[in-house]
Amino acid sequence: MATAAGVSLRKPAAFLDRDGVINHDDGYVGTSDRFRFMPGAAAAIRRLNDAGYLVFIASNQSGIARGLFTEDDLIKLHGWMLSEFAALGARIDDARYCPFHPEAKIAGYAWDSDLRKPRPGMLLDLIGNWPVERAKSFLIGDKEIDMAAARAAGITGYLFTGGDLDAFVAGCLAKQAAR
């Protein structure tokens, strides 16, 4: 990566799962009327922004493959979510989702994709398209498949079990600084 006056232009990144991290996992959330932010979500993202991290979402969204909502529904939901965060001074830099599932009801989505966690495809795509400093990056997820995707992408994974996301992120940043 090019440098400016000897300083790397790469930045650390925080990869966030969506359901169970940014919002409560209420089962196949594809519309804003079913979306409930996790406590401290906007503050956590603002904290990451202020710390100089790129902030990404990487989320399996098999509700699309199961016919529970459409990709258009999901894109509208993500647009709404980004607007809600922006109004609170929090920025998500980019997002990836995997709509595929091997047992999909909708034939076009019946695929065992490398994007689907626990595989690292979404993370690697974001890393390849942004100036990510992988060694200083991490993922926050609520399931073991998230941790497996982080390991496969060569980044640290932190398992979030609920509660105040901002307090959890503060702890992750402290651990990252100590590495």
Side-chain angles (χ1 to χ4, degrees), residues 36-74:
R36 294 184 305 129
F37 284 102
M38 196 63 71
I45 291 165
R46 223 175 21 253
R47 180 184 300 275
L48 290 164
N49 297 152
D50 292 346
Y53 278 72
L54 295 166
V55 180
F56 302 130
I57 296 172
S59 182
N60 287 345
Q61 290 296 322
S62 69
I64 296 167
R66 297 170 194 277
L68 301 172
F69 51 89
T70 67
E71 281 195 75
D72 285 343
D73 292 334
L74 185 70

Side-chain angles (χ1 to χ4, degrees), residues 3-115:
T3 60
V7 176
S8 174
L9 299 178
R10 292 194 178 278
K11 297 173 79 172
F15 299 83
L16 307 177
D17 181 37
R18 199 196 76 184
D19 300 324
V21 175
I22 291 175
N23 60 283
H24 291 273
D25 189 352
D26 292 330
Y28 307 109
V29 177
T31 57
S32 61
D33 62 311
R34 296 194 57 234
F35 194 97
R36 294 184 305 129
F37 284 102
M38 196 63 71
I45 291 165
R46 223 175 21 253
R47 180 184 300 275
L48 290 164
N49 297 152
D50 292 346
Y53 278 72
L54 295 166
V55 180
F56 302 130
I57 296 172
S59 182
N60 287 345
Q61 290 296 322
S62 69
I64 296 167
R66 297 170 194 277
L68 301 172
F69 51 89
T70 67
E71 281 195 75
D72 285 343
D73 292 334
L74 185 70
I75 290 165
K76 284 181 200 168
L77 170 59
H78 282 183
W80 170 84
M81 179 183 66
L82 296 179
S83 295
E84 294 291 305
F85 281 140
L88 297 170
R91 182 190 73 254
I92 301 286
D93 293 293
D94 205 348
R96 297 291 184 274
Y97 64 91
C98 179
F100 307 108
H101 193 279
E103 299 169 15
K105 288 174 73 174
I106 299 174
Y109 293 103
W111 181 38
D112 192 15
S113 171
D114 287 340
L115 296 174

Side-chain angles (χ1 to χ4, degrees), residues 115-134:
L115 296 174
R116 186 168 178 75
K117 293 181 282 182
R119 293 184 180 113
M122 287 186 283
L123 306 178
L124 296 175
D125 184 49
L126 287 160
I127 289 167
N129 283 287
W130 287 83
V132 172
E133 187 171 354
R134 195 184 304 218

Side-chain angles (χ1 to χ4, degrees), residues 16 21 39 44 47 138-141 147 157-175:
L16 307 177
V21 175
R47 180 184 300 275
F138 63 89
L139 176 141
I140 297 174
M147 300 304 101
Y158 295 106
L159 186 64
F160 179 67
T161 58
D164 183 337
L165 184 58
D166 186 39
F168 187 82
V169 164
C172 294
L173 290 173
K175 289 175 188 172

